[in-house]
Amino acid sequence: MSNRTIVVALGGNAILSSDPSAQAQQEALVQTAGHLVKLIKNGDNLVITHGNGPQVGNLLLQHLAADSKKNPAFPLDSLVAMTEGSIGFWLQQALQNALHKEGIDKPVASVVTQVVVDKNDPAFVNLSKPIGPFYSEEEAKAEAERTGATFKEDSGRGWRKVVASPKPVAIKELETIQTLIDAGQVVVAAGGGGIPVVENEDGSLRGVEAVIDKDFASQKLAVDIKADYFIVLTGVDNVYVNYNKPDQAKLEKVTVAELEEYIKQDQFAPGSMLPKVEATINFVKQFPEGKAVISSLENIQEVLTNEGGTVIEA
C-alpha cells in the first residue's frame, strides 16, 4: 500500500459530454468516480480538482435570461461559487457511493475554495477568456452598451463576452485542505479554478469578475501541498506532437526542456492542451521531487502501475 498524495485535475469530459442536464452530468461522474476509487484502493491520499467552463457559461445564460429588478443576475464570482458547489456535490456523492460499494469507509469533503489573484494582473486589462453564448456583432454591441461588458469575435463563430483569466497567487483555504488530507479524507477543492478574489489594502477579500484556469489553480494547489503526483486528465491517453498529421508522435517520458521546445513550435492548442502542458511544466519546476502526468481517466490504472500516460520530468 502506498501513501502518496495525488492531485487529480479532471478534464471537462469527465463531467459533461453532450447533454448538459444535471442528471447526465451526475451519471458521467458516477463513471469518473469508479476510476478514481482505484487510487483510493491503492492507499493514496486523493485531492480532486475540476473544471466548470461549460457549466458556468450555462448558468450565466440562465441568469441573463431571467435578469430583472426583482430577480437580478449574479456576478461571475458568485456563479463560479455556485458551479463549484453543484459539481462538488455531484462528485462528492458519486465518490461516497463508489467507496460504499467497495466497502471502504472513508469520508469525502468538498471545500468551497477562494483563490487569490493579483488585482494588477495584466489579464484584467487584456480580457481573453470567452464565456457564455455567441452573439451577432450588432447584439454584442448592444449588450456591451447595456452592461459595460467586453465582447470579442471568437474564431469565426460569433461574438462572445470575454473576461479576465488571471494567474492564481494563493489558495485561501489551503490550511483547511491540508488538515483534511492529514485526516485521511478525500478532498474536492479549487473547483473551476476556484473563486477569484483579490485582497484589499486592509487585507480583506472581495470577489472579482474573472475565471481562473483550472489547470493553473490545480498546479498551484499541488505545489502548495507538496503532492507526490500531479495528474492532469484529458480526453487522450498521451500528449502528441504533430497531432492528427501523418508523422504524429506520442510523448511518453519527456523533459521540461523538450516540452518548452515543442511550445515554441506551436505544437499544443492554446485553449486545450497548452495550459495542461504549461501547468505540468510549472509543477515540476517548482517542486522537482514531484512527478507530473498527462493522461486520460480510462488510463489511470496504467498511469499508476506502469507509468502510462505522458510523464513530465524536471
Side-chain angles (χ1 to χ4, degrees):
M1 292 290 274
S2 78
N3 195 23
R4 302 171 296 191
T5 296
I6 300 181
V7 171
V8 175
L10 290 180
N13 55 340
I15 309 167
L16 179 66
S17 47
S18 52
D19 180 352
S21 69
Q23 187 189 356
Q25 294 185 68
Q26 282 172 287
E27 282 167 9
L29 281 167
V30 169
Q31 306 293 318
T32 298
H35 289 292
L36 293 176
V37 163
K38 294 169 189 168
L39 298 172
I40 300 164
K41 282 172 80 173
N42 212 37
D44 294 312
N45 293 316
L46 189 57
V47 180
I48 304 157
T49 65
H50 60 80
N52 72 339
Q55 293 85 355
V56 85
N58 288 349
L59 187 57
L60 176 71
L61 272 183
Q62 290 162 9
H63 273 248
L64 292 176
D67 187 26
S68 67
K69 259 208 169 79
K70 278 189 173 169
N71 187 20
F74 283 12
L76 196 53
D77 53 333
S78 295
L79 300 182
V80 171
M82 289 166 136
T83 53
E84 194 177 67
S86 56
I87 297 168
F89 152 58
W90 297 334
L91 185 51
Q92 190 175 304
Q93 192 178 73
L95 281 163
Q96 283 163 334
N97 290 342
L99 288 165
H100 179 70
K101 204 165 147 188
E102 293 284 349
I104 299 170
D105 184 20
K106 204 171 184 53
V108 184
S110 298
V111 179
V112 174
T113 314
Q114 300 173 89
V115 175
V116 181
V117 298
D118 181 355
K119 58 177 177 289
N120 299 316
D121 190 307
F124 285 111
V125 182
N126 310 315
L127 307 181
S128 62
K129 184 87 173 166
I131 61 162
F134 289 94
Y135 292 94
S136 70
E137 191 171 354
E138 294 71 37
E139 288 168 337
K141 277 184 179 152
E143 197 63 24
E145 270 173 38
R146 191 177 73 81
T147 62
T150 303
F151 288 80
K152 280 187 184 170
E153 204 280 321
D154 185 1
S155 355
R157 295 177 296 178
W159 291 69
R160 286 177 88 188
K161 176 176 175 168
V162 285
V163 297
S165 186
K167 290 283 190 285
V169 173
I171 290 161
K172 204 65 198 167
E173 285 71 27
L174 186 64
E175 205 179 314
T176 306
I177 294 164
Q178 190 64 62
T179 302
L180 290 167
I181 297 166
D182 294 344
Q185 302 204 18
V186 179
V187 187
V188 180
I195 303 154
V197 297
V198 295
E199 281 181 352
N200 297 318
E201 301 301 318
D202 63 358
S204 61
L205 300 171
R206 63 180 166 86
V208 286
E209 187 84 352
V211 175
I212 301 166
D213 187 287
K214 72 109 170 90
D215 293 314
F216 291 124
S218 305
Q219 171 251 314
K220 176 73 183 140
L221 179 60
V223 169
D224 288 353
I225 65 171
K226 297 182 168 58
D228 300 290
Y229 267 78
F230 174 40
I231 302 176
V232 180
L233 296 179
T234 183
V236 287
D237 290 352
N238 289 76
V239 180
Y240 290 85
V241 288
N242 306 320
Y243 190 58
N244 274 344
K245 291 179 184 161
D247 56 346
Q248 168 177 302
K250 178 163 77 169
L251 301 180
E252 289 174 331
K253 275 200 171 60
V254 63
T255 65
V256 165
E258 287 169 330
L259 281 179
E260 287 176 333
E261 187 51 45
Y262 291 136
I263 289 172
K264 280 184 197 154
Q265 298 168 12
D266 292 329
Q267 286 282 359
F268 311 120
S272 55
M273 193 54 86
L274 183 60
K276 293 171 176 58
V277 169
E278 288 177 334
T280 52
I281 287 174
N282 291 349
F283 174 73
V284 292
K285 272 186 168 176
Q286 289 171 35
F287 189 59
E289 304 92 294
K291 193 171 274 188
V293 186
I294 301 174
S295 194
S296 69
L297 188 61
E298 296 70 26
N299 201 39
I300 203 101
Q301 196 67 51
E302 200 56 30
V303 167
L304 290 176
T305 48
N306 302 319
E307 298 213 320
T310 296
V311 180
I312 296 95
E313 292 171 334

